[in-house]
Structure formats: structure tokens, C-alpha cells
Amino acid sequence: MLRAGFFLTTLALAQRPEPEQIRINAPDVRTSAAVVTAMLKLAGVTSRDTVYDLGSGDGRIVIAAAKEFGARGVGIEINPERVEEARSNAKKAGVEERVKFETADLFDADLRGATVVTLYLLPDLNLRLRPKLLKELKPGARVVSHAFGMGDWPPEKEELVEGSRIFLWRIPAK
């Protein structure tokens, strides 16, 4: 009897569908140097900040935050090849001691250490990410997005740079 119960439980578990994997819809489009600098200026980045870039690609935003503003930075990128490229770029820029790059899904990343988060993600990702940002970031932390908003959350500021819109939000008190 015990064997039959074990077999039925094992069979039931084997037939249970896998949890649906959420696909991240984020094309690899690079941000120009002028837009990178404008995003960091819009956020008011200083040497006291830790800038997290979600979908960091080749690392250009985190590297610029360290090199131009003296900030620390963390890049979160799902593609391990891009993470290696970012690490190499940080070394070439002489900021490898101030930045780090992690291979991770941005929805699994721990954002609690960020004072600034930068994004260049499509609108559906921004909307799905918004609750995580509001939950994990401290009040006063800044979020800057290149090109896309956050639905019904109005930005504190918006600028046009090289034909691209950039948006700033500040995490409200809880």
C-alpha cells in the first residue's frame, strides 16, 4: 500500500505543469553617451550614490556613474556574455573597484542597496517592475527611465535628450 501511494504521489508530481516562465521582452538597444550622462544628471547622482542599472548590457551607465560622478554601481544583466563585456569595459575605464556586474534576472535581483535605479526597458517591463521598485527601494531613491514611462505613476521630471525622453521618479515615503 505504501508503494502504491508513493507511486501515485510521484506520478501526480510528474504530471503537474511547470510554472509559467515570464519572458523578459527587452531588446539589446544601447543608450548614447549623451543620454547616459543626462539620465545620471537628472537623477542628481553624486559620489554618495549606488546606481543599479537593470538590463545593464555592456555596462555603460554604471561605468559612467563611477567615472563621471564618483558613484558606486551595480549592473544586473541576464546575458552572461554581456556581463563579461561589462566587466572588461569597467577594467578599461579604471572603475572596476567601484562597480560590479551580476548575471541575474532583474526580477530576482535584490535592489535594496540602490539609491538610484536606471532603466531602458519596454513599457510592459517597467509596469511589471514598478511594484518591486516601490517595495525594495528606500524612500527618496530615484528611478530614471530612458524612453518609457510607468503607466499612471507620473514622473517628477521629464526631459528630451537627442530625441529621446528620459523620466525621473522618486520613491515616496511608505
Side-chain angles (χ1 to χ4, degrees):
M1 185 68 170
L2 184 61
R3 292 186 116 194
F6 175 76
F7 175 74
L8 290 175
T9 301
T10 304
L11 182 61
L13 288 173
Q15 291 178 344
R16 189 170 40 186
E18 290 290 318
E20 185 178 333
Q21 188 75 10
I22 297 174
R23 290 187 46 89
I24 294 180
N25 181 21
D28 183 12
V29 180
R30 298 177 188 208
T31 302
S32 73
V35 173
V36 167
T37 299
M39 290 173 73
L40 297 170
K41 283 182 179 177
L42 184 62
V45 172
T46 71
S47 61
R48 294 182 309 273
D49 283 309
T50 302
V51 177
Y52 278 51
D53 185 24
L54 304 184
S56 58
D58 65 2
R60 64 184 59 204
I61 292 177
V62 171
I63 291 167
K67 191 167 183 144
E68 296 174 31
F69 298 89
R72 296 206 169 273
V74 178
I76 306 295
E77 172 60 48
I78 202 162
N79 182 336
E81 292 172 6
R82 301 306 307 279
V83 169
E84 287 307 313
E85 178 184 6
R87 288 176 180 154
S88 174
N89 290 341
K91 188 171 184 169
K92 287 176 194 166
V95 296
E96 70 273 16
E97 298 297 322
R98 298 197 63 76
V99 301
K100 69 178 181 174
F101 295 94
E102 300 174 5
T103 303
D105 181 310
L106 55 90
F107 288 100
D108 295 332
D110 181 353
L111 306 180
R112 291 175 296 174
T115 57
V116 175
V117 173
T118 60
L119 312 168
Y120 188 12
L121 304 170
L122 294 176
D124 64 314
L125 269 180
N126 280 3
L127 289 175
R128 288 183 14 222
L129 192 57
R130 186 170 123 184
K132 180 177 178 65
L133 296 169
L134 291 168
K135 179 181 177 188
E136 292 186 22
L137 297 177
K138 292 179 181 130
R142 289 93 69 206
V143 177
V144 182
S145 176
H146 176 191
F148 302 108
M150 292 269 191
D152 62 356
W153 185 16
E156 182 177 304
K157 290 184 184 174
E158 182 178 337
E159 292 182 4
L160 188 63
V161 180
E162 291 187 339
S164 291
R165 293 206 179 284
I166 57 174
F167 303 90
L168 170 71
W169 296 268
R170 195 171 305 270
I171 302 298
K174 298 183 187 208

